[in-house]
Amino acid sequence: MIYRILNQVSNDFFDYIPGAVGQELNVIRSKEFNQPQFAPHHDVVSVIDFAGIVTGFVAITMSQETLDALVQPLFPGNSEEENNLKGEFLKEMTNGITGTTVEILRESHPLVTGLKPKLMKGFLSYPKVPCFSKMVETNIGEIGFSIAVDYMAMDINHFADRIKEVEKQLRESISQLEYRRDESEAHFRSKKEYLENHSRELGMPMGNLEG
């Protein structure tokens, strides 16, 4: 499932680019690999977190130079305003092409939703969650695609569900014990009333009948 998502995101990215920026990217080579935690090779990272029964994120990464070359037909300058627009464009592009990720995750984990995209710059530290990545070398530079899925939330939810199940079983057991107690007490009262009535009819002490 993980590599299916990676390939879907990368394919959607390269399908999206010609119509969005007016240029085609040539793929030279690509490679897939695992990491013990997300450690991007580039200083521009566009991320969408997803949350629910499982948590994690999908990220698209590239250098600032690659981003400049990618959106050059739209934003040819390097003013602060244009640089901000480049970041917003990458965020919106990430948001658009990672919708499939949530759809694939929902096939096995229905309660998953995607959050708003974030843009981060610089080499930051990320949580220690196993990460699966695909690096694609193109004619304008290297572009990375990564996904990390944390199943801890699912384990916690499973544990919580198990606790609820045990609590339900305990409540049912207590209810059964209370029912048997009430039934036993009712039987004892009925027997006692019968003996008391029978004792009065025979004119005999209660103790003689009980004995």
Side-chain angles (χ1 to χ4, degrees), residues 134-200:
K134 181 176 183 178
M135 209 62 62
V136 181
E137 186 181 343
T138 75
N139 57 303
I140 63 167
E142 197 175 57
I143 300 171
F145 305 89
S146 297
I147 178 171
V149 181
D150 188 355
Y151 290 94
M152 183 178 292
M154 186 170 69
D155 293 340
I156 291 172
N157 288 333
H158 176 74
F159 184 65
D161 289 342
R162 180 59 184 151
I163 290 175
K164 289 178 182 178
E165 183 181 340
V166 171
E167 287 177 344
K168 180 182 177 183
Q169 291 173 352
L170 285 172
R171 284 194 299 269
E172 290 174 351
S173 296
I174 291 170
S175 179
Q176 289 176 2
L177 288 171
E178 289 175 342
Y179 173 78
R180 290 174 183 173
R181 180 201 64 194
D182 294 342
E183 192 177 49
S184 178
E185 290 177 350
H187 178 73
F188 176 76
R189 285 194 301 270
S190 176
K191 181 180 178 183
K192 185 176 180 182
E193 289 173 3
Y194 169 79
L195 290 174
E196 287 176 346
N197 293 335
H198 199 54
S199 173
R200 282 194 295 270

Side-chain angles (χ1 to χ4, degrees), residues 1-206:
M1 180 182 71
I2 298 297
Y3 284 113
R4 177 185 164 199
I5 292 173
L6 272 181
N7 288 324
Q8 186 68 55
V9 170
S10 63
N11 289 341
D12 287 350
F13 178 89
F14 289 106
D15 288 342
Y16 182 88
I17 290 300
V21 300
Q23 69 167 319
E24 296 239 5
L25 297 184
N26 299 321
V27 175
I28 300 170
R29 64 180 65 88
S30 66
K31 62 178 179 179
E32 298 173 350
F33 55 94
N34 302 342
Q35 297 173 289
Q37 74 180 99
F38 183 47
H41 298 179
H42 313 113
D43 57 347
V44 177
V45 181
S46 183
V47 178
I48 285 189
D49 294 312
F50 51 84
I53 197 167
V54 296
T55 60
F57 62 84
V58 175
I60 298 176
T61 71
M62 62 190 72
S63 68
Q64 183 63 52
E65 291 76 14
T66 299
L67 177 59
D68 291 342
L70 178 68
V71 298
Q72 197 274 337
L74 298 177
F75 311 109
N78 284 306
S79 67
E80 182 178 350
E81 181 182 359
E82 283 196 305
N83 285 336
N84 289 335
L85 289 173
K86 293 173 187 178
E88 290 301 314
F89 176 82
L90 182 58
K91 282 168 55 178
E92 287 307 310
M93 184 168 58
T94 305
N95 191 43
I97 67 177
T98 55
T100 308
T101 300
V102 173
E103 292 177 10
I104 295 174
L105 285 168
R106 283 177 179 166
E107 292 175 6
S108 52
H109 310 300
L111 301 177
V112 172
T113 185
L115 306 180
K116 290 183 178 181
K118 298 179 293 186
L119 185 72
M120 293 175 283
K121 293 190 176 184
F123 294 95
L124 308 174
S125 178
Y126 295 88
K128 291 186 177 180
V129 178
C131 180
F132 304 85
S133 298
K134 181 176 183 178
M135 209 62 62
V136 181
E137 186 181 343
T138 75
N139 57 303
I140 63 167
E142 197 175 57
I143 300 171
F145 305 89
S146 297
I147 178 171
V149 181
D150 188 355
Y151 290 94
M152 183 178 292
M154 186 170 69
D155 293 340
I156 291 172
N157 288 333
H158 176 74
F159 184 65
D161 289 342
R162 180 59 184 151
I163 290 175
K164 289 178 182 178
E165 183 181 340
V166 171
E167 287 177 344
K168 180 182 177 183
Q169 291 173 352
L170 285 172
R171 284 194 299 269
E172 290 174 351
S173 296
I174 291 170
S175 179
Q176 289 176 2
L177 288 171
E178 289 175 342
Y179 173 78
R180 290 174 183 173
R181 180 201 64 194
D182 294 342
E183 192 177 49
S184 178
E185 290 177 350
H187 178 73
F188 176 76
R189 285 194 301 270
S190 176
K191 181 180 178 183
K192 185 176 180 182
E193 289 173 3
Y194 169 79
L195 290 174
E196 287 176 346
N197 293 335
H198 199 54
S199 173
R200 282 194 295 270
E201 290 174 4
L202 297 176
M204 294 174 58
M206 188 65 180

